[in-house]
Coordinates of all heavy atoms in Angstrom, one line a residue:
A67 N 118.3 154.2 -30.5 CA 119.2 155.1 -31.1 C 120.3 155.5 -30.1 O 121.5 155.6 -30.5 CB 118.5 156.3 -31.6
S68 N 119.9 155.7 -28.9 CA 120.9 156.1 -27.9 C 121.9 155.0 -27.6 O 123.1 155.2 -27.4 CB 120.2 156.6 -26.6 OG 121.0 157.5 -25.9
L69 N 121.4 153.8 -27.5 CA 122.2 152.6 -27.2 C 123.3 152.5 -28.3 O 124.4 152.2 -28.0 CB 121.3 151.4 -27.1 CG 121.9 150.2 -26.4 CD1 122.4 150.5 -25.0 CD2 120.9 149.0 -26.4
A70 N 122.9 152.7 -29.5 CA 123.8 152.6 -30.6 C 124.9 153.7 -30.5 O 126.0 153.5 -31.0 CB 123.0 152.8 -32.0
L71 N 124.6 154.8 -29.9 CA 125.6 155.9 -29.8 C 126.5 155.6 -28.6 O 127.6 156.2 -28.5 CB 124.9 157.2 -29.5 CG 124.1 157.8 -30.7 CD1 123.3 159.0 -30.2 CD2 124.9 158.2 -31.9
Y72 N 126.2 154.7 -27.7 CA 126.9 154.6 -26.4 C 128.4 154.2 -26.6 O 129.2 154.8 -25.9 CB 126.2 153.6 -25.5 CG 125.8 154.3 -24.2 CD1 124.6 154.8 -24.0 CD2 126.8 154.4 -23.1 CE1 124.3 155.5 -22.8 CE2 126.5 155.1 -22.0 CZ 125.2 155.7 -21.8 OH 124.9 156.4 -20.7
P73 N 128.7 153.2 -27.4 CA 130.2 152.9 -27.5 C 131.0 154.1 -27.8 O 132.1 154.3 -27.2 CB 130.2 151.8 -28.5 CG 128.8 151.2 -28.5 CD 127.9 152.3 -28.2
R74 N 130.6 154.9 -28.8 CA 131.4 156.1 -29.1 C 131.3 157.2 -28.1 O 132.3 157.9 -27.8 CB 130.9 156.7 -30.5 CG 131.3 155.8 -31.7 CD 131.0 156.4 -33.0 NE 131.5 157.7 -33.2 CZ 131.2 158.5 -34.2 NH1 130.3 158.1 -35.1 NH2 131.7 159.6 -34.4
F75 N 130.2 157.3 -27.4 CA 130.0 158.3 -26.3 C 131.0 158.0 -25.2 O 131.8 158.9 -24.8 CB 128.5 158.1 -25.8 CG 128.1 159.0 -24.7 CD1 128.1 160.4 -24.8 CD2 127.8 158.5 -23.5 CE1 127.7 161.2 -23.8 CE2 127.3 159.3 -22.4 CZ 127.3 160.7 -22.6
V76 N 131.0 156.7 -24.7 CA 131.9 156.4 -23.6 C 133.4 156.5 -24.1 O 134.3 156.9 -23.3 CB 131.6 155.1 -22.9 CG1 130.3 155.2 -22.1 CG2 131.6 153.9 -23.8
A77 N 133.6 156.0 -25.3 CA 135.0 156.1 -25.8 C 135.5 157.5 -25.9 O 136.7 157.8 -25.5 CB 135.1 155.4 -27.2
A78 N 134.7 158.4 -26.4 CA 135.1 159.8 -26.4 C 135.4 160.4 -25.0 O 136.4 161.1 -24.8 CB 134.1 160.7 -27.2
I79 N 134.5 160.1 -24.1 CA 134.6 160.6 -22.7 C 135.9 160.0 -22.1 O 136.7 160.7 -21.5 CB 133.4 160.2 -21.9 CG1 132.2 161.0 -22.4 CG2 133.6 160.4 -20.4 CD1 130.9 160.5 -21.7
E80 N 136.1 158.7 -22.3 CA 137.3 158.1 -21.7 C 138.6 158.6 -22.3 O 139.6 158.9 -21.6 CB 137.2 156.5 -21.9 CG 136.1 155.9 -21.0 CD 136.1 154.4 -20.9 OE1 136.9 153.8 -21.7 OE2 135.4 153.8 -20.1
E81 N 138.6 158.8 -23.6 CA 139.8 159.3 -24.3 C 140.1 160.7 -23.8 O 141.2 161.0 -23.4 CB 139.6 159.3 -25.8 CG 140.9 159.5 -26.5 CD 140.7 159.7 -28.0 OE1 139.8 159.0 -28.5 OE2 141.5 160.4 -28.6
I82 N 139.1 161.6 -23.8 CA 139.4 163.0 -23.5 C 139.6 163.2 -22.0 O 140.5 164.0 -21.6 CB 138.2 163.9 -24.0 CG1 138.1 163.8 -25.5 CG2 138.3 165.3 -23.5 CD1 136.9 164.4 -26.1
S83 N 139.0 162.4 -21.1 CA 139.2 162.6 -19.7 C 140.3 161.8 -19.1 O 140.8 162.0 -18.0 CB 137.9 162.2 -18.9 OG 137.7 160.8 -19.1
S84 N 140.8 160.8 -19.9 CA 141.7 159.7 -19.4 C 141.2 159.1 -18.1 O 141.9 158.7 -17.2 CB 143.1 160.4 -19.1 OG 143.6 161.0 -20.2
M85 N 139.9 158.9 -18.1 CA 139.2 158.2 -16.9 C 138.3 157.1 -17.4 O 137.9 157.2 -18.6 CB 138.4 159.2 -16.1 CG 139.2 160.3 -15.5 SD 138.3 161.8 -15.0 CE 137.5 161.2 -13.5
L86 N 138.0 156.1 -16.6 CA 137.2 155.0 -17.0 C 135.7 155.3 -16.7 O 135.4 156.1 -15.8 CB 137.6 153.7 -16.3 CG 139.0 153.2 -16.7 CD1 139.4 152.0 -15.8 CD2 139.0 152.8 -18.1
T87 N 134.8 154.7 -17.4 CA 133.4 154.8 -17.2 C 132.7 153.6 -16.7 O 131.5 153.6 -16.4 CB 132.7 155.3 -18.5 OG1 132.8 154.2 -19.4 CG2 133.2 156.6 -19.0
G88 N 133.4 152.5 -16.6 CA 132.8 151.2 -16.2 C 131.8 150.7 -17.1 O 130.8 150.1 -16.7
Y89 N 131.9 150.9 -18.4 CA 131.0 150.4 -19.4 C 131.2 148.9 -19.6 O 132.3 148.5 -19.8 CB 131.2 151.2 -20.7 CG 130.3 150.8 -21.9 CD1 129.0 151.0 -21.8 CD2 130.9 150.3 -23.1 CE1 128.1 150.7 -22.9 CE2 130.1 149.9 -24.1 CZ 128.7 150.1 -24.0 OH 127.9 149.8 -25.1
R90 N 130.1 148.2 -19.4 CA 130.2 146.7 -19.4 C 129.2 146.1 -20.4 O 128.1 146.5 -20.4 CB 129.9 146.1 -18.1 CG 130.9 146.5 -17.0 CD 130.4 146.0 -15.6 NE 130.2 144.5 -15.6 CZ 130.7 143.8 -14.6 NH1 131.3 144.3 -13.6 NH2 130.5 142.4 -14.7
T91 N 129.7 145.2 -21.2 CA 128.8 144.6 -22.3 C 128.5 143.2 -22.0 O 128.3 142.4 -23.0 CB 129.5 144.8 -23.7 OG1 130.8 144.2 -23.6 CG2 129.6 146.3 -24.1
D92 N 128.5 142.7 -20.8 CA 128.2 141.3 -20.5 C 126.7 141.0 -20.7 O 126.4 139.8 -20.8 CB 128.6 141.0 -19.0 CG 130.0 141.3 -18.8 OD1 130.8 140.5 -19.3 OD2 130.4 142.3 -18.1
G93 N 125.9 142.0 -20.8 CA 124.4 141.7 -21.0 C 123.7 141.5 -19.7 O 124.2 141.6 -18.6
T94 N 122.4 141.2 -19.9 CA 121.4 141.2 -18.8 C 120.7 139.9 -18.8 O 120.3 139.4 -19.9 CB 120.4 142.4 -18.9 OG1 121.2 143.6 -18.8 CG2 119.3 142.4 -17.9
L95 N 120.4 139.3 -17.6 CA 119.4 138.2 -17.5 C 118.1 138.7 -17.0 O 118.1 139.3 -15.9 CB 120.0 137.1 -16.6 CG 121.3 136.4 -17.0 CD1 121.5 135.2 -16.1 CD2 121.3 136.0 -18.5
A96 N 117.0 138.5 -17.7 CA 115.7 138.8 -17.2 C 115.2 137.5 -16.5 O 115.2 136.4 -17.1 CB 114.8 139.2 -18.3
L97 N 114.7 137.6 -15.3 CA 114.4 136.4 -14.5 C 112.9 136.5 -14.0 O 112.4 137.6 -13.6 CB 115.3 136.4 -13.3 CG 116.8 136.4 -13.6 CD1 117.6 136.8 -12.5 CD2 117.2 135.0 -14.2
L98 N 112.2 135.4 -14.1 CA 110.8 135.3 -13.7 C 110.7 134.4 -12.5 O 111.1 133.2 -12.6 CB 110.0 134.9 -14.9 CG 110.0 135.9 -16.1 CD1 109.6 135.2 -17.3 CD2 109.2 137.1 -15.8
C99 N 110.1 134.9 -11.5 CA 110.1 134.1 -10.2 C 108.6 133.7 -9.8 O 108.4 133.0 -8.8 CB 110.7 134.9 -9.1 SG 112.4 135.5 -9.4
H100 N 107.6 134.3 -10.5 CA 106.3 134.1 -10.0 C 105.3 133.7 -11.2 O 105.7 133.8 -12.3 CB 105.7 135.4 -9.4 CG 106.6 135.8 -8.2 ND1 106.4 135.2 -7.0 CD2 107.6 136.7 -8.1 CE1 107.3 135.8 -6.1 NE2 108.0 136.7 -6.8
G101 N 104.1 133.3 -10.8 CA 103.0 133.1 -11.7 C 103.3 132.1 -12.8 O 104.1 131.2 -12.7
D102 N 102.7 132.3 -14.0 CA 102.9 131.4 -15.1 C 104.1 131.9 -15.9 O 104.0 132.6 -16.9 CB 101.6 131.5 -16.0 CG 101.7 130.4 -17.1 OD1 102.8 129.9 -17.3 OD2 100.7 130.2 -17.8
A103 N 105.3 131.6 -15.3 CA 106.6 132.1 -15.8 C 106.8 131.8 -17.3 O 107.3 132.6 -18.1 CB 107.7 131.7 -15.0
E104 N 106.5 130.6 -17.7 CA 106.7 130.2 -19.1 C 105.9 131.1 -20.1 O 106.4 131.5 -21.1 CB 106.4 128.7 -19.3 CG 107.5 127.8 -18.9 CD 108.9 128.0 -19.5 OE1 109.0 128.5 -20.6 OE2 109.9 127.8 -18.8
R105 N 104.7 131.3 -19.7 CA 103.8 132.1 -20.6 C 104.3 133.6 -20.6 O 104.4 134.2 -21.6 CB 102.4 132.1 -20.1 CG 101.4 132.2 -21.3 CD 100.0 132.0 -20.8 NE 99.4 133.3 -20.6 CZ 98.2 133.4 -20.1 NH1 97.5 132.4 -19.8 NH2 97.7 134.6 -19.9
E106 N 104.7 134.1 -19.4 CA 105.3 135.4 -19.3 C 106.5 135.6 -20.1 O 106.8 136.6 -20.8 CB 105.5 135.7 -17.8 CG 106.1 137.1 -17.5 CD 105.1 138.2 -17.7 OE1 103.9 137.9 -18.0 OE2 105.5 139.3 -17.6
L107 N 107.4 134.5 -20.1 CA 108.6 134.6 -20.8 C 108.3 134.7 -22.3 O 109.0 135.5 -23.0 CB 109.4 133.3 -20.5 CG 110.7 133.1 -21.3 CD1 111.8 134.1 -20.8 CD2 111.3 131.7 -21.1
S108 N 107.4 133.9 -22.8 CA 107.1 133.9 -24.2 C 106.5 135.3 -24.6 O 106.8 135.8 -25.7 CB 106.1 132.8 -24.5 OG 105.1 133.1 -25.3
T109 N 105.7 135.9 -23.7 CA 105.3 137.3 -24.0 C 106.4 138.3 -24.1 O 106.5 139.1 -25.0 CB 104.3 137.8 -22.9 OG1 103.3 136.8 -22.7 CG2 103.7 139.1 -23.2

Side-chain angles (χ1 to χ4, degrees):
S68 205
L69 197 57
L71 294 171
Y72 239 95
R74 284 184 60 190
F75 178 65
V76 291
I79 292 171
E80 290 189 348
E81 191 188 328
I82 294 170
S83 67
S84 301
M85 294 162 78
L86 294 174
T87 60
Y89 180 62
R90 296 173 61 133
T91 54
D92 299 290
T94 295
L95 297 190
L97 305 161
L98 298 161
C99 308
H100 299 280
D102 188 347
E104 280 305 327
R105 214 172 94 184
E106 180 69 7
L107 177 70
S108 140
T109 308

